[in-house]
Amino acid sequence: MNKMASTHNEIIPRLGFEEMRNEMNKYGVEINQSTLKNPSTEDIQGIYSLCIKYILNKDIQNIRIEEYTGDLKSSLPTVDGLQILPNEGKNHLQAIGNLRFLRHCEKINKILNLDNILSYIFKPVGSHMTKLINAFIHFMKYRDQLYNENGEKIKSIQEKKNEYDVLENEYDALENELNKLLLKHEDIRNNIINEKNIKRNYEEDIIKNQNLLNSQQSLIISLNSTKDKIVNETNELIFQYSRYRQKKEDLEDQIVPSPEKLQKYNEELKDHLYEHIAQFEDDRKKNEDIKNKINIADICIKKLVDLLTALNEHIEHTIKLHIEKKNNLQTIEKQYKSLTNEKQNFITKNTEQDKIIKETKEFLQQEQTKWNQKIKQEQHNTILIQQKVKDIYQNVDDLNIKTNREINQINNIIKHIQDIINHYNKNILLITELIQNTKNSHSILTHKVLNNIQKDISANM
């Protein structure tokens, strides 16, 4: 609007007649060549009414409301409940409507950048009519264009807002997924720590079992040494026993002892034999115990070997799982970095969207400020008009007071006339009664005269 009224002397482009007629037909107004060349008062006021309706968004009935309703919204003289509004009062209503209409026409001329010559409203000229129609058409086109541009901007803002909402939802979804991955990463890290603790416990158990195995092996070696020693001693005893037996046989062959000595010697040999047999039995029992311990040690070694094999397999499996989890952790870290980059991109886009929305809000704020200034100007003009209307109402009130005074005087005169009429009515009643009495007396007198005449006639006959 400011663009159209940028300079006072700006020339409004003139449209062709057909284009003007087509444009005005859109608003339900038909124009012809005579309308432009020799416009009537009704034509020019009709165009101004159209401008007021579409530019100022006001209805002509609201502007000339006193003419349409006949109500001044003030006290008027009444007689027997009927409002007395002389021709001067009706002209006054029309004057109020014309004054308000003129003020709105001044606004239209100012908005459309036309010469503010109010005489054209009552004595129109063709050039002003053409300029008015041209300016109105250009104004409406520019306003529609501005509305369309603002509508497109609002639509674009709404689309950006929807896109922002979509991006924000995606960002929230990615953030939730990132939190899930972080939780999963934390679980995997805790599992790895637990596996490391289990591995450390297994290693400690392996070390303990290895130490136990070493001690068992040392014991086995010691037992084997003891076994070998016992075997050697047993062999030595067997060898000595064989040698003693051989020696005995040799002695028996060389010496023929007496039966007593031989018997004694046999007894001694038997005692030695029993001792050696007892020692042999003890050694045999010890050997059996050693064999049992060796068998138990072999079983323990076998079990320890199986346990060591199982531990090695478990360690290999644990290491394999650890490697897989480490690879998964590296993959998750890569995904985390990718999601972090995407998050940064979304934040950047979000910042850009916020910037666009902020600029749009600033633009809308500027537009709103302009419209508020125009509204304040209109309100100021409205206050001026209301003040003028108030002055007019004051004049009307003064006129009403004067009229009421004259009406009171007329009422007094009417009352005096009514009293005279009542007095006349009373006199007329008295006269009527007197006339009636006179008529009655005349009738009686006539009747008596006729009777006397008849009596005289009868007497003469």
Side-chain angles (χ1 to χ4, degrees), residues 102-117:
L102 289 174
R103 294 294 177 265
H104 285 78
C105 291
E106 286 180 347
K107 292 181 183 179
I108 294 297
N109 291 332
K110 185 176 180 181
I111 292 172
L112 298 181
N113 196 22
L114 298 175
D115 296 331
N116 193 19
I117 302 175

Side-chain angles (χ1 to χ4, degrees), residues 230 234 278-289:
I230 293 170
T234 303
Q279 290 179 358
F280 178 76
E281 289 294 331
D282 292 334
D283 292 336
R284 189 174 63 80
K285 289 179 180 180
K286 289 180 180 179
N287 288 331
E288 288 179 356
D289 292 335

Side-chain angles (χ1 to χ4, degrees), residues 84-253:
I84 297 175
L85 188 64
N87 290 329
E88 293 181 357
K90 294 180 180 179
N91 293 333
H92 187 63
L93 294 179
Q94 188 175 5
I96 293 173
N98 288 334
L99 180 61
R100 195 179 291 116
F101 181 73
L102 289 174
R103 294 294 177 265
H104 285 78
C105 291
E106 286 180 347
K107 292 181 183 179
I108 294 297
N109 291 332
K110 185 176 180 181
I111 292 172
L112 298 181
N113 196 22
L114 298 175
D115 296 331
N116 193 19
I117 302 175
L118 298 179
S119 61
Y120 288 161
I121 298 173
F122 300 100
K123 293 181 181 180
V125 295
S127 60
H128 183 72
M129 184 72 166
T130 304
K131 289 181 180 179
L132 178 62
I133 294 174
N134 272 286
F136 172 72
I137 293 172
H138 283 290
F139 178 86
M140 295 304 294
K141 285 184 177 180
Y142 177 73
R143 191 182 72 171
D144 293 339
Q145 181 182 358
L146 187 62
Y147 284 171
N148 292 330
E149 290 177 357
N150 290 333
E152 291 177 358
K153 289 180 181 178
I154 292 170
K155 185 177 180 181
S156 176
I157 291 170
Q158 189 65 34
E159 290 176 355
K160 295 293 184 182
K161 185 177 180 181
N162 294 331
E163 185 178 355
Y164 170 76
D165 293 335
V166 172
L167 291 174
E168 188 175 9
N169 292 329
E170 291 179 356
Y171 172 74
D172 293 336
L174 289 173
E175 189 173 8
N176 292 329
E177 186 175 356
L178 177 62
N179 292 328
K180 290 180 181 179
L181 290 174
L182 290 174
L183 292 174
K184 188 175 181 181
H185 171 71
E186 187 67 22
D187 293 336
I188 292 172
R189 191 171 68 84
N190 293 329
N191 290 329
I192 291 171
I193 293 171
N194 293 329
E195 291 294 335
K196 286 182 179 179
N197 293 328
I198 294 171
K199 178 183 176 183
R200 185 170 61 252
N201 294 329
Y202 280 144
E203 288 176 350
E204 291 176 355
D205 292 337
I206 289 170
I207 292 170
K208 290 180 181 179
N209 291 324
Q210 187 68 36
N211 294 329
L212 181 62
L213 179 62
N214 292 330
S215 64
Q216 292 292 331
Q217 287 178 349
S218 299
L219 180 62
I220 290 169
I221 292 170
S222 177
L223 291 173
N224 286 327
S225 177
T226 305
K227 175 186 174 183
D228 293 336
K229 185 177 180 181
I230 293 170
V231 170
N232 291 328
E233 290 179 354
T234 303
N235 291 329
E236 182 67 25
L237 290 172
I238 292 170
F239 177 73
Q240 288 180 1
Y241 176 75
S242 298
R243 192 180 63 177
Y244 285 140
R245 187 175 181 180
Q246 184 66 36
K247 188 175 181 180
K248 175 186 175 185
E249 289 176 354
D250 292 339
L251 290 172
E252 286 178 351
D253 292 336

